Amino acid sequence: MSQPPRARIEGLPPEGHEDDRQRTIEVKVSDLPETIELEKCKLVVVDGPDRGTTLTVTKPIIRIGTNEKNDLVLNDNTISRFHCEIRHIRDEYLLVDRQSTNGTYIQNLRVREVFLHPNCEVLVGNSLIRFEPEVESVRVFPIARGSYGDLIGSAARMREIYGIIDKVAPSDLSVVVEGETGTGKELVARAIHGASRRATRPLVIFDCSAFPENLLESELFGHEKGAFSGAIRTHRGVFERAEGGTVFFDELGEMSLALQPKFLRALESGEIRRVGGERTIKVDVRVVAATNRNLAQLVEEGQFRRDLFYRLAKVRMTLPPLRERLDDLGRLCEHFLEDLRRQRPDGLRARRFSDEAMELLTGYDWPGNVRELRNVVERSATFCEADVIEVEDLPGDLQARLGRPAHRAPVTTGNLVDPGTGLKEAKEIIVAQFERDYLIMLLERHDMNISRVAREAGIDRRHVYRLMKKYDINPPARSGEFE
């Protein structure tokens, strides 16, 4: 299929050219930018029944027609219900006629697809619309408060993160959040969604590493009944369930190269087709993606498509690890203890950590970041029998990693290990018992929600399923939904 004509040639880099990088804003909190450029599209009705109407949006796809579901709704009976749309592809705008009855025209030429140039005029029915792309430079400032949404912390680097979220959230820009495991990437996605115009619509969380490649397409786009063996009912995919809202794609770097072209096509066209289906379905979603891998490096290594990277990474945000914001450690401990007290109002005495315990926690490098800290707080509070959590209440493995012998009474293993058992076998028996008890505790607390169990334990969902199989713990019925 030939490429649509371009209304602007001079000054444009070839498709896939390195200059495309200029459209990706990399935001590292250690180097806060003074401004972020927000690309907007302004449509002005210069003639027709709705003359004077103006629409300014940051959406990647702008739909025009008489139906109320369009972005620009026109009261012109010569215009089709879904007449045409403008798609923002890389740094250009593509006008696509949606098989309208009376056609879409530029300079008296009927067009099906064409790249628009600034200030060109498009005739749809009896209405003439002027296209005006804009780039707004928005200044970014740190926010002087100790939290944003569910994000906790008043360290300078976190306040810079809040400033970025505050400016990006009202737009429809796609965002890639990078950072180590446990740094709070999902909380950033929730904060962006909560501060956006889509806040009243669904936020759907999808873990790209949680499904084998042969099921990933069905989970993303859905499938029709009978599409394949085992498809006993029609299944709505992630894009459909998030209609009008936001999709958070966790572990985006794990998506297979084979699926990435279909994923990109859905983002650029705003349409999906269920597996086994014949009709296309329009979708309107914002995308926030997260990965603990460096996507730019994956692109250079050929493991991630360059065009998909530029489509998603309009803004890149790198979260700091906990060891680089230890000023927030005390505040986070207090927050997690408050959460625990609300969950267990009659079964938790602990109110705070002693100075000695906090000093020990501050000396740890926290490879599991905030997620690991939450686990440590919960385990410590569970063992504590007083109002103050002392050093001896901290998990023994944490104390051992810090070179400090644990003071807690040793676990009795007589009922687990038979006399005469060798050290290696005895260790395997005790570790297996701990794994099983720990897994059952998490499953019970999270009502068998595998996604939440995996996030709290800091492991992959597939590893959770393997442990459940190993210890003969029955998994919950798959509903196909995500929290």
Side-chain angles (χ1 to χ4, degrees):
M1 176 180 170
S2 60
Q3 289 292 316
R6 297 174 184 268
R8 181 187 64 203
I9 301 297
E10 185 178 352
L12 275 180
E15 187 172 342
H17 191 274
E18 289 296 312
D19 287 351
D20 284 347
R21 295 173 188 265
Q22 297 175 1
R23 292 298 182 182
T24 297
I25 308 163
E26 183 173 3
V27 180
K28 292 190 176 180
V29 294
S30 57
D31 185 20
L32 185 70
E34 292 184 359
T35 62
I36 289 180
E37 291 187 344
L38 300 180
E39 298 178 42
K40 297 184 177 182
C41 178
K42 182 178 180 181
L43 301 178
V44 181
V45 182
V46 296
D47 197 8
D50 299 282
R51 182 177 181 177
T53 299
T54 300
L55 174 71
T56 302
V57 291
T58 59
K59 295 180 65 176
I61 300 172
I62 306 161
R63 296 189 169 102
I64 301 170
T66 59
N67 188 281
E68 61 182 12
K69 292 184 178 180
N70 290 288
D71 300 291
L72 180 59
V73 181
L74 299 174
N75 298 302
D76 183 342
N77 58 16
T78 62
I79 293 176
S80 299
R81 294 174 69 250
F82 296 97
H83 196 100
C84 62
E85 61 191 31
I86 300 173
R87 302 174 184 173
H88 191 187
I89 300 176
R90 286 175 285 278
D91 60 347
E92 297 184 273
Y93 289 88
L94 177 67
L95 173 67
V96 180
D97 181 79
R98 301 300 303 173
Q99 298 180 337
S100 62
T101 301
N102 293 321
T104 302
Y105 293 82
I106 293 182
Q107 296 179 348
N108 298 321
L109 293 176
R110 185 165 183 167
V111 297
R112 187 168 66 88
E113 290 186 5
V114 65
F115 286 100
L116 300 175
H117 64 80
N119 299 313
C120 71
E121 294 183 340
V122 179
L123 181 66
V124 292
N126 291 325
S127 298
L128 189 64
I129 304 170
R130 185 168 64 243
F131 164 75
E132 300 177 5
E134 299 178 347
V135 177
E136 179 185 3
S137 294
V138 179
R139 292 186 62 82
V140 178
F141 300 97
I143 291 180
R145 67 190 198 207
S147 64
Y148 197 107
D150 293 328
L151 290 161
I152 302 294
S154 55
R157 298 187 68 181
M158 290 307 295
R159 290 189 288 107
E160 291 172 356
I161 287 286
Y162 304 156
I164 297 165
I165 294 173
D166 204 54
K167 296 302 182 183
V168 170
S171 74
D172 270 315
L173 287 174
S174 54
V175 180
V176 170
V177 188
E178 297 177 321
E180 297 178 8
T181 297
T183 49
K185 296 185 287 293
E186 181 181 323
L187 297 183
V188 170
R190 291 184 181 277
I192 290 173
H193 177 73
S196 74
R197 65 178 182 83
R198 299 174 180 267
T200 58
R201 303 296 296 164
L203 168 65
V204 177
I205 299 169
F206 184 79
D207 185 349
C208 297
S209 67
F211 295 91
E213 185 176 342
N214 62 326
L215 291 180
L216 197 55
E217 182 176 359
S218 171
E219 290 298 327
L220 284 174
F221 308 126
H223 63 250
E224 298 289 354
K225 180 179 179 181
F228 50 83
S229 178
I232 60 175
R233 62 178 178 85
T234 297
H235 172 64
R236 294 164 62 241
V238 167
F239 284 95
E240 285 187 78
R241 298 203 303 272
E243 173 60 27
T246 305
V247 181
F248 173 60
F249 291 100
D250 200 7
E251 300 302 340
L252 181 70
E254 303 301 322
M255 181 178 290
S256 70
L257 274 171
L259 187 60
Q260 288 176 26
K262 294 181 180 179
F263 185 57
L264 174 62
R265 195 175 305 119
L267 296 178
E268 290 190 338
S269 68
E271 296 177 342
I272 57 103
R273 179 178 291 151
R274 294 174 184 160
V275 176
E278 296 182 354
R279 68 183 183 94
T280 58
I281 301 171
K282 295 182 185 297
V283 290
D284 172 23
V285 299
R286 182 188 191 167
V287 172
V288 179
T291 176
N292 59 11
R293 304 172 69 183
N294 188 316
L295 279 188
Q297 183 178 341
L298 292 179
V299 169
E300 296 303 320
E301 295 172 354
Q303 299 180 46
F304 199 85
R305 288 179 61 103
R306 188 179 298 273
D307 48 4
L308 177 56
F309 172 75
Y310 290 131
R311 172 60 182 79
L312 288 170
K314 297 298 184 182
V315 175
R316 290 173 66 197
M317 188 184 307
T318 304
L319 298 187
L322 181 56
R323 61 182 173 276
E324 295 181 7
R325 59 180 188 105
L326 290 174
D327 290 348
D328 287 332
L329 197 67
R331 172 74 186 277
L332 287 166
C333 288
E334 292 175 5
H335 173 73
F336 294 145
L337 279 174
E338 289 174 4
D339 270 357
L340 287 171
R341 285 199 297 272
R342 282 194 293 269
Q343 296 169 19
R344 297 151 58 183
D346 300 324
L348 195 73
R349 292 189 58 184
R351 292 292 183 271
R352 65 181 180 86
F353 284 81
S354 69
D355 293 342
E356 294 79 8
M358 283 304 303
E359 184 179 354
L360 196 67
L361 295 178
T362 305
Y364 184 50
D365 63 356
W366 299 105
N369 294 295
V370 179
R371 182 181 297 147
E372 183 182 7
L373 175 62
R374 184 182 185 101
N375 291 341
V376 166
V377 171
E378 185 163 347
R379 291 166 63 188
S380 302
T382 300
F383 279 104
C384 181
E385 297 180 354
D387 293 343
V388 180
I389 298 174
E390 302 290 352
V391 171
E392 54 266 27
D393 297 314
L394 299 178
D397 56 345
L398 175 65
Q399 297 186 50
R401 286 196 292 272
L402 290 168
R404 183 186 182 102
H407 296 292
R408 192 179 295 130
V411 177
T412 302
T413 61
N415 60 335
L416 298 178
V417 182
D418 294 331
T421 304
L423 175 62
K424 182 179 179 181
E425 185 180 353
K427 181 180 178 181
E428 291 175 352
I429 293 172
I430 294 170
V431 169
Q433 184 63 41
F434 166 77
E435 272 189 343
R436 186 179 189 278
D437 292 345
Y438 178 73
L439 183 61
I440 289 175
M441 176 189 70
L442 291 184
L443 289 167
E444 289 177 348
R445 181 160 68 245
H446 294 297
D447 296 324
M448 297 293 281
N449 187 303
I450 305 301
S451 296
R452 294 177 182 172
V453 169
R455 279 195 290 274
E456 178 167 340
I459 59 178
D460 188 89
R461 280 171 50 106
R462 288 172 289 191
H463 188 47
V464 175
Y465 280 113
R466 284 195 292 269
L467 288 175
M468 292 173 69
K469 183 177 180 181
K470 177 181 178 181
Y471 298 116
D472 196 25
I473 302 171
N474 294 325
R478 288 282 302 282
S479 65
E481 297 294 331
F482 293 81
E483 76 276 12

